[in-house]
Structures are given as C-alpha cells and as structure tokens.
Amino acid sequence: MARLGSWIDPHPEGIFVKPANAWVDPSQPKDRALVTHGHSDHASGGHGQVWATPETLGIMDIRCGPQNGVQMTYGKVVRLGEVEISYVPAGHCLGSAQIVMDHGGERVVVSGDYKRRPDPSCMPFQPVPCDIFITEATFGLPVFRHPDTGSEMDRLLERLHANPERCVLVGAYALGKAQRVICELRQRGHHDPIYIHGAVERLCLLYEEFGVNLGELRFATGVKKDELKGRIVIAPPSALNDRWSRRLPDPITAMASGWMRIRQRARQKNVELPLIISDHADWDELTATLVELAPKEVWVTHGREEALIHWCAMRQMKARELNLIGREDEDE
Ligand SMILES: [Zn+2]
Ligand SMILES: [Zn+2]
C-alpha cells in the first residue's frame, strides 16, 4: 500500500498536488495556484491561474494586480484532475480558507493560517475531519497563550478615555488585523469615527464591499491635530515610528499583534500599549484542533514546528515537519 498522502509533494516553494497538477500557496510563479488567503507569504503574483475565494481574489487584485482567477466560494466542490477540492473558512482574515482535497480515498486538509477564537470581520474556522492535517505553527510554543480579545480591547478604550488630549495610534497589519480591530471596537460600543492611514484604505473598502460593516472611517492624513485628540488612529506597523506619526497629537503608541506577548518586541518598536491580538491559533488552539480533528498524520508547515511535533509524538500522533521557505508572517 502506498504511503499516506503520497500524492502530496511538499517543496520549499509550496505544496504540489500531483493528481491535480496544482500548487498550494506557491511562492514562485506556477501554472495553477490554489491560494488559501491574501497575505503575501501565501498569495504572490505571476501565476497562470489562481483558485481562491472571491474575497481572496479581490485582495490579490489590489495587492498583486489583476488575477486570472477561478472563484472558489466556500463549500463548493470542484473536481480538478483526479482530486475533489473545496474551500472552507479558516477564521484567519476575510476570505481565508482551508483547502480540503480528496483523492484515492484519502482526505488532506491544508489549513493555511487559522485561528479558532471569534473574529467579527470574517467567517469562523470550520473543522473538517481528515487523514492528513497540514497545519501552521506560528505560535507553536506553550508560552503563547493569547489572552481574551475583549480584555485587550477594553485596555485600549480605557487608555483612550483617560487621555482626552492624546490620540491612540494602533499599529495593525493592513490586511486583516486593521479591520478586525475596527470591528472589535464597534462590537464594544465605540461608534466614534476611526481615523485610518492611507495604506489600509483600499482593504477597508473591500471588506465593506463584502458586507463587513466598519462604521465611520476618516482619513488621518491632512487632518488638524485638534481633531484627532481623543480619537483612535489605525496605521500599518511601519508607520508607528515614521514621520507620518509626528503630526498626531501626542500619540499613545499601541500595537495589535500576537508578538506583543514578547516584551522585548514591544520595546523595540517603542510600543507604549502592547495589545496581544492575534489572527493565528495559539498553543491551546493548535493542540485542541489536533485533538478535535484526530488526523492520522499532522504535517507542520511554518512557525515553531518542534514543540508541536513533540506534542504529537507524546500522543502517538504521527507528525512531520515541512520545510517551506519564506513563511515568516506579515500579518503578525
Ligand atoms: Zn496569514
Ligand atoms: Zn502565513
């Protein structure tokens, strides 16, 4: 009998699915790419054909130029060569998908990036039992346990309200984190205008086009200092310490990222208010997902593989490490 998953061929530049003649999240141009989501370490330009959710195709059009796209709405099952393929929500950002592939009586699920906790800006992760679960491990160490998102948002709002002469400048990646932070604020009853940096504008509009209500957004650039007092400003992390931020009224610099768990990272970026808000599964979510899905094998793509592989070995769950390159996440 052939080895389990012998039709799946991991390469440093992506996962090749032989009987479909297609690559999952290739970092090099390929004839046919199956793309899990729009972050640049998974979605790159230059492919002959891109199979992705309509949301991801919209994101790629903005970031990589027009795509020759094949729309995979969630749940639609399509036969590609000798493989049945469907995309189900991964809960990571707008349009993010796990790719479910059935071939020769085996089911393989590529999770892409995922998280399990609620996110008002995208569809929740849908567990799909499978023979092989190909998982990320960005926060695959027991030290990474993300706190409750609501309590992090409360800290942000408390600081804002206690400092009416200042603004809170939140560094958040332009795709996913920025829109999620806005939605979380709205959910907690913050309905004031939120000011945004130009780099997040088009993606915010795209979220709105796909039905995610972000409330009143205004441009932060060119606005008088006084108008920004007592306001929240969202900008990409790269803008936190650059010239752009000097026009803001005595900003309280915050950053929304899973890496804010590490104090040194917060200090390096001069972050006064670190907010531990992540779009990746933490250690508990990673391991709980493996328990829930109970796959015959776990393949770990990127992040801190060793601890997760050790955890699997302790539970007689077969696990291996895939050496994909270039997967250090932009979204965290
Ligand atoms: Zn991602
Ligand atoms: Zn990633």
Side-chain angles (χ1 to χ4, degrees):
M1 221 177 86
R3 178 173 54 83
L4 191 68
S6 60
W7 48 287
I8 302 278
D9 202 2
H11 290 255
E13 78 261 38
I15 295 165
F16 183 53
V17 185
K18 279 178 285 185
N21 191 23
W23 290 77
V24 178
D25 288 354
S27 57
Q28 305 286 324
K30 302 290 179 190
D31 289 343
R32 190 184 285 128
L34 313 178
V35 174
T36 58
H37 67 286
H39 284 136
S40 61
D41 58 324
H42 298 259
S44 55
H47 305 303
Q49 215 178 46
V50 175
W51 292 50
T53 60
E55 296 89 342
T56 297
L57 288 173
I59 292 162
M60 289 180 74
D61 281 345
I62 291 174
R63 309 187 110 193
C64 317
Q67 300 296 306
N68 180 16
V70 177
Q71 294 205 353
M72 289 294 291
T73 47
Y74 290 132
K76 178 170 97 174
V77 181
V78 172
R79 195 167 180 87
L80 182 54
E82 298 161 27
V83 185
E84 282 201 338
I85 294 183
S86 66
Y87 286 41
V88 302
H92 175 62
C93 66
L94 183 74
S96 66
Q98 309 170 71
I99 302 180
V100 181
M101 300 186 283
D102 288 286
H103 171 76
E106 293 174 6
R107 170 169 286 179
V108 175
V109 172
V110 183
S111 74
D113 293 337
Y114 74 97
K115 70 173 175 295
R116 302 300 303 267
R117 57 189 71 205
D119 175 344
S121 67
C122 70
M123 299 270 286
F125 178 93
Q126 183 184 321
V128 178
C130 52
D131 298 300
I132 299 176
F133 186 60
I134 303 184
T135 183
E136 61 141 323
T138 304
F139 291 110
L141 284 175
V143 65
F144 290 115
R145 290 193 158 93
H146 307 323
D148 173 61
T149 310
S151 64
E152 298 297 284
M153 300 311 293
D154 286 345
R155 292 201 297 123
L156 194 170
L157 288 169
E158 278 159 24
R159 282 294 276 277
L160 179 77
H161 297 144
N163 295 278
E165 294 298 308
R166 303 178 71 185
C167 73
V168 179
L169 171 62
V170 183
Y173 277 100
L175 168 57
K177 191 63 60 63
Q179 297 78 19
R180 179 181 175 200
V181 166
I182 293 168
C183 285
E184 299 276 4
L185 286 164
R186 300 308 189 202
Q187 265 197 346
R188 303 191 87 71
H190 182 80
H191 297 298
D192 291 355
I194 292 175
Y195 289 75
I196 57 172
H197 184 282
V200 302
E201 178 204 358
R202 286 186 75 186
L203 289 163
C204 286
L205 288 173
L206 188 80
Y207 268 66
E208 294 265 1
E209 278 169 33
F210 280 100
V212 180
N213 185 2
L214 300 176
E216 191 187 344
L217 302 180
R218 292 182 188 168
F219 290 120
T221 306
V223 172
K224 292 211 171 65
K225 263 192 184 182
D226 273 356
E227 186 183 331
L228 293 171
K229 286 180 179 172
R231 303 295 197 181
I232 292 173
V233 181
I234 311 263
S238 59
L240 287 187
N241 297 307
D242 77 1
R243 288 168 59 91
W244 181 86
S245 65
R246 282 181 220 154
R247 284 173 288 175
L248 304 175
D250 191 14
I252 297 164
T253 303
M255 168 114 170
S257 163
W259 297 114
M260 289 297 103
R261 165 69 77 206
I262 302 171
R263 286 209 183 89
Q264 199 184 344
R265 289 232 189 179
R267 266 200 306 270
Q268 273 167 5
K269 294 181 188 297
N270 297 318
V271 172
E272 189 179 335
L273 179 62
L275 302 168
I276 306 167
I277 299 176
S278 175
D279 286 330
H280 292 273
D282 68 3
W283 176 256
D284 292 330
E285 291 170 70
L286 288 169
T287 54
T289 301
L290 296 183
V291 169
E292 182 180 0
L293 300 181
K296 294 192 184 107
E297 290 188 20
V298 180
W299 296 4
V300 186
T301 55
H302 62 300
R304 279 119 212 97
E305 298 94 346
E306 281 157 43
L308 199 60
I309 284 170
H310 178 72
W311 182 92
C312 290
M314 300 289 283
R315 282 153 190 83
Q316 277 76 48
M317 204 181 266
K318 211 171 157 190
R320 67 183 273 209
E321 169 178 344
L322 308 183
N323 292 304
L324 301 188
I325 51 164
R327 306 286 156 146
E328 222 12 67
D329 252 330
E330 69 157 342
D331 50 325
E332 288 293 342

